[in-house]
Amino acid sequence: MSQPHATVGHVHLRVADLDRAVAFYRDVLGFEEMQRFGNAAAFLGAGGYHHHIGLNTWDSKDGTPPPKGHTGLYHSAFLYPDRKSLGQVIKRVLDAGYTLTGAADHGVSEAVYLNDPDGNGVELYRDRAPQDWPRDADGNLAMVNDRLDIEAIIAEAG
């Protein structure tokens, strides 16, 4: 059953080091720290929203990422409003020494992938206008997984 009015409100992540995680999501990805509960939890948002990202060490302080081959979060995805904003965040990510684990032009969006300091997958992307989405002969959505020109996106960041 479809939920036409439901949206994803936030992601809440277990992290090993709260200050390190806050620094990544605040200083690198550009979210604003909205509230902190000592060394145990922090909430970050964009555009004045109370929080899009919750971070906590309740069950994970000084922990390690789950090993490959286990279930869990594949990645959280953060939508940027335009190509310039996406280029700016990609530049901050690279300047901060993080390595991109992937990049793709999906036709409907342009996306890069990386891991946060705790090994959680992160997608940074921007959407194309729906009228520009690729469609097959029957008009059905036809997403692709093409090469993304990261340097061109960064160049648009100014």
Side-chain angles (χ1 to χ4, degrees):
M1 177 165 78
S2 174
Q3 294 293 322
H5 298 289
T7 61
V8 176
H10 68 270
V11 61
H12 202 121
L13 303 172
R14 290 186 300 244
V15 300
D17 181 315
L18 187 63
D19 290 333
R20 180 182 70 184
V22 167
F24 173 78
Y25 286 97
R26 181 191 60 214
D27 303 339
V28 178
L29 299 192
F31 288 88
E32 179 183 358
E33 187 175 337
M34 302 301 287
Q35 186 171 6
R36 186 184 283 240
F37 293 99
N39 292 325
F43 298 90
L44 294 91
Y49 189 65
H50 57 82
H51 77 283
H52 292 99
I53 305 162
L55 305 167
N56 77 69
T57 58
W58 298 324
D59 295 319
S60 56
K61 184 163 179 49
D62 300 323
T64 59
K68 290 193 182 296
H70 285 81
T71 60
L73 178 70
Y74 183 68
H75 70 238
S76 51
F78 300 102
L79 175 63
Y80 288 81
D82 51 42
R83 206 165 199 243
K84 179 179 180 179
S85 299
L86 180 60
Q88 291 169 336
V89 72
I90 293 170
K91 183 171 181 348
R92 285 196 309 271
V93 162
L94 296 174
D95 288 349
Y98 290 92
T99 302
L100 298 181
T101 59
D105 181 338
H106 295 300
V108 298
S109 64
E110 294 177 307
V112 298
Y113 303 89
L114 65 144
N115 292 320
D116 77 2
D118 290 285
N120 296 305
V122 174
E123 176 183 353
L124 310 174
Y125 74 106
R126 71 102 184 175
D127 276 339
R128 287 191 170 90
Q131 64 268 21
D132 297 331
W133 293 354
R135 305 256 175 208
D136 66 17
D138 295 323
N140 299 313
L141 188 60
M143 291 176 56
V144 296
N145 198 26
D146 293 339
R147 182 185 168 283
L148 181 66
D149 187 346
I150 297 168
E151 293 304 319
I153 295 173
I154 292 172
E156 286 190 35

